[in-house]
Amino acid sequence: MNIVQTPPSTLSPELLARFAAIVGEKYAVTDPHEVAPYLVEERNLYQGRSPLVLRPGSTEEVSAICKLATETKTAIVPQGGNTGLVGGQTPHHGEVVVSLRRLDKIRSVDTKSNAMTVEAGVILANAQQAAVNADRIFPLSLGSEGSCTIGGNLSTNAGGIAALAYGVARDLVLGLEVVLADGRIMHGLSSLKKDNTGYDLRDLFVGAEGTLGIITAATLKMFPKPRSVETAFAAIESPEDALKLLDTSRNTAAGALTSFELLPQIAIDWAVNYNSSVRAPMTGPYPWYVLMEISSPRDDARDTIEAILAQGMEDGIVLDAVLAANLDQRNGFWKLREIVSPAQKPEGGSIKHDVSVPVAAVPDFLIEADAAVTNLIPGARPFAFGHLGDGNIHYNISQPVGADTAGFLARWHDVNDLVHGIVAKHGGSISAEHGIGILKREELPHVKDPVALAIMRSIKANLDPLNIMNPGKVL
Ligand code: FAD
């Protein structure tokens, strides 16, 4: 990592000291080397700057920080695990970073209500484990689950590989505790499924990317542990055939179909090259693959997945298939899926799109986007993969072999415009699960309904009139 030269603070030493006094010297980070990791993000697209990272240890400390920020008109940027992919957690203009990572307690687990209350800085994998310890599951599952936090998951309304069955982060939260820009605390932690007492304020903060308030805790839904889980790779000819297999899978498994991921051969090849512990699921090559998982409350997942694959073969859709024989093999399948993202790095520049279209439109979208992109940049290598069951494709374009990386990446906006135009034609979204942040902020006014955008702006002005809460993000 490059060592970051944090520019001179624009905050007076007195103000820095007032902020530091809230959390205690130990948790007020000013040493540039210690601040540095909070300023860079996964894709190295942005380099932030900040004189101060505050690491509060309680909701009250978060509240005191916000109060002081409002009093002194100091801009702040909430940060969780710093795994966001749209630059939302980066302090681009010298803002104070408020890292929620120390708020990492599981406050309560209530198996009768199937709900648990956790603090915002709890790592997603730890929340999953807390549910497992109570013989339940918390089904949100992302490649970054070992480092992203519940606060970040809710603030980005994260999706992931089990959204097909359980929904996105928004669908998995019952109540929230939120600190507003002026320091007031909204006590909305509740495990009620039914509560029709006015406007839905909880959902306002989910997906707000830290622009309306700081989430300090959340009550999350838990689900019964499935009694049987089966995972399989199926080789197929085309995304069109993947759709047919999705149809068969839904008709056979109904709600037990938890994941349905689409991967091209190039993804398998690059993942295997990137990480020697990853194995190709079968001897190919085949044009495309589906990675599917069935999680059943009964002992019938094996029968179900076998029935799906047998039907797929009978219909001439499934060319070959392999069922995970044991937990190790199942983990190996998912490891391969996780490696697909980083495996693109050695191939040079990659222009990313996190888009969704109606599930039925995925094959046409891919055909049209591939043609348009390779026409614009001959030799560019489309690398489309992701959550087909949700119509959410990570449509990435790797640079032509041997091309100049900087020159290729300079076409980022041209390529985005082209791809997003095709997404719009199919009634899709330019941000399926990563959010808007700063990466897509300029594009939002072109794709969002103007009345919806005006309502968003008035909500922001009302809750954060001084624009201190993650300014310049989303809007
Ligand atoms: P951060 O990156 O720290 O912050 C993200 C945003 O939330 C910022 O705008 C920040 O200001 C705000 N924020 C953070 N905490 C709070 C808080 N407590 N209160 C208010 N605002 C807050 N995303 C998916 O949706 N699906 C995937 O499958 C997926 N896979 C990924 C795989 C990898 C390898 C990586 C690196 C990322 C992936 N992501 C995925 C993106 C990312 O992990 C998610 O967006 C995640 O939810 C971010 O959580 P975080 O704690 O890291 O948040």
Side-chain angles (χ1 to χ4, degrees):
M1 181 192 307
N2 296 328
I3 296 298
V4 180
Q5 298 302 322
T6 304
S9 164
T10 50
L11 305 184
S12 68
E14 292 74 25
L15 185 51
L16 285 176
R18 285 179 73 189
F19 274 117
I22 294 171
V23 295
E25 287 298 329
K26 185 176 169 195
Y27 298 112
V29 186
T30 53
D31 179 327
H33 288 88
E34 288 176 42
V35 171
Y38 296 89
L39 309 181
V40 289
E41 41 74 59
E42 170 77 15
R43 289 177 176 166
N44 279 324
L45 284 180
Y46 304 107
Q47 173 64 67
R49 59 192 179 91
S50 174
L52 177 65
V53 176
L54 295 170
R55 305 184 61 227
S58 67
T59 302
E60 289 68 31
E61 287 183 5
V62 176
S63 163
I65 291 168
C66 292
K67 247 183 220 146
L68 182 58
T70 286
E71 182 198 319
T72 56
K73 297 195 177 68
T74 307
I76 55 181
V77 175
Q79 193 178 99
N82 194 16
T83 68
L85 297 174
V86 290
Q89 73 280 17
T90 308
H92 296 272
H93 308 290
E95 300 92 332
V96 170
V97 175
V98 181
S99 167
L100 281 306
R101 290 287 309 279
R102 280 183 66 225
L103 296 187
D104 62 355
K105 288 181 205 65
I106 309 282
R107 288 193 189 164
S108 64
V109 177
D110 174 358
T111 49
K112 290 205 173 66
S113 308
N114 267 342
M116 65 175 165
T117 297
V118 309
E119 294 185 342
V122 169
I123 300 287
L124 173 55
N126 294 344
Q128 293 167 344
Q129 190 57 47
V132 167
N133 294 347
D135 203 30
R136 301 286 186 277
I137 58 163
F138 177 61
L140 188 68
S141 181
L142 322 180
S144 54
E145 62 198 23
S147 45
C148 63
T149 62
I150 292 298
N153 298 151
L154 292 170
S155 298
T156 56
N157 189 23
I161 54 172
L164 183 60
Y166 296 101
V168 293
R170 188 186 298 285
D171 301 308
L172 300 172
V173 61
L174 291 162
L176 286 184
E177 178 184 271
V178 182
V179 175
L180 302 181
D182 61 11
R184 282 179 299 160
I185 302 172
M186 187 185 91
H187 296 282
L189 291 175
S190 151
S191 56
L192 298 179
K193 274 214 170 122
K194 295 190 169 180
D195 178 14
N196 285 342
T197 51
Y199 303 148
D200 188 345
L201 300 179
R202 176 196 64 203
D203 271 1
L204 205 52
F205 295 97
V206 177
E209 300 182 51
T211 59
L212 298 181
I214 299 185
I215 296 173
T216 47
T219 302
L220 305 172
K221 291 180 191 172
M222 298 190 298
F223 295 81
K225 245 189 206 169
R227 285 186 54 183
S228 57
V229 177
E230 294 291 343
T231 313
F233 257 103
I236 48 166
E237 189 62 40
S238 64
E240 191 69 54
D241 280 353
L243 263 194
K244 289 180 191 156
L245 188 61
L246 176 63
D247 204 39
T248 303
S249 306
R250 279 179 169 153
N251 289 339
T252 312
L257 179 66
T258 29
S259 301
F260 200 90
E261 302 283 305
L262 181 68
L263 298 166
Q265 177 67 45
I266 192 175
I268 308 285
D269 293 342
W270 290 8
V272 169
N273 285 342
Y274 180 76
N275 185 317
S276 57
S277 72
V278 165
R279 306 242 173 285
M282 59 188 84
T283 41
Y286 293 101
W288 293 87
Y289 299 82
V290 162
L291 172 58
M292 68 165 86
E293 190 157 280
I294 306 285
S295 314
S296 172
R298 294 172 294 277
D299 290 323
D300 57 2
R302 189 88 182 178
D303 293 345
T304 307
I305 207 161
E306 282 178 354
I308 292 168
L309 295 172
Q311 185 66 51
M313 284 180 171
E314 198 180 311
D315 296 342
I317 297 166
V318 174
L319 308 175
D320 195 2
V322 53
L323 262 169
N326 50 43
L327 188 58
D328 274 356
Q329 205 177 358
R330 181 181 162 212
N331 290 340
F333 285 180
W334 282 113
K335 173 102 185 267
L336 188 153
R337 170 62 184 84
E338 266 176 48
I339 293 294
V340 162
S341 289
Q344 294 159 71
K345 282 186 183 166
E347 297 292 329
S350 170
I351 298 176
K352 317 276 189 192
H353 306 85
D354 160 41
V355 298
S356 64
V357 293
V359 175
V362 170
D364 285 347
F365 162 73
L366 290 174
I367 291 168
E368 292 166 32
D370 284 1
V373 166
T374 50
N375 184 43
L376 182 73
I377 306 181
R381 293 169 292 167
F383 188 105
F385 68 99
H387 320 298
L388 176 70
D390 307 318
N392 172 197
I393 298 296
H394 298 303
Y395 187 71
N396 298 344
I397 316 293
S398 281
Q399 66 177 62
V401 175
D404 167 54
T405 299
F408 173 74
L409 291 177
R411 312 288 305 271
W412 189 293
H413 290 294
D414 297 343
V415 177
N416 277 183
D417 285 351
L418 195 63
V419 172
H420 290 166
I422 299 167
V423 167
K425 188 187 129 194
H426 288 288
S429 166
I430 63 164
S431 179
E433 54 178 13
H434 299 158
I436 297 296
I438 199 152
L439 183 68
K440 296 179 181 171
R441 189 188 67 159
E442 301 301 326
E443 252 186 283
L444 189 64
H446 302 295
V447 296
K448 195 88 183 166
D449 171 69
V451 175
L453 202 59
I455 295 171
M456 282 167 66
R457 290 201 172 106
S458 68
I459 291 170
K460 169 74 176 169
N462 189 289
L463 286 178
D464 181 21
L466 300 176
N467 196 23
I468 58 159
M469 196 59 84
N470 214 358
K473 312 292 169 51
V474 184
L475 292 172

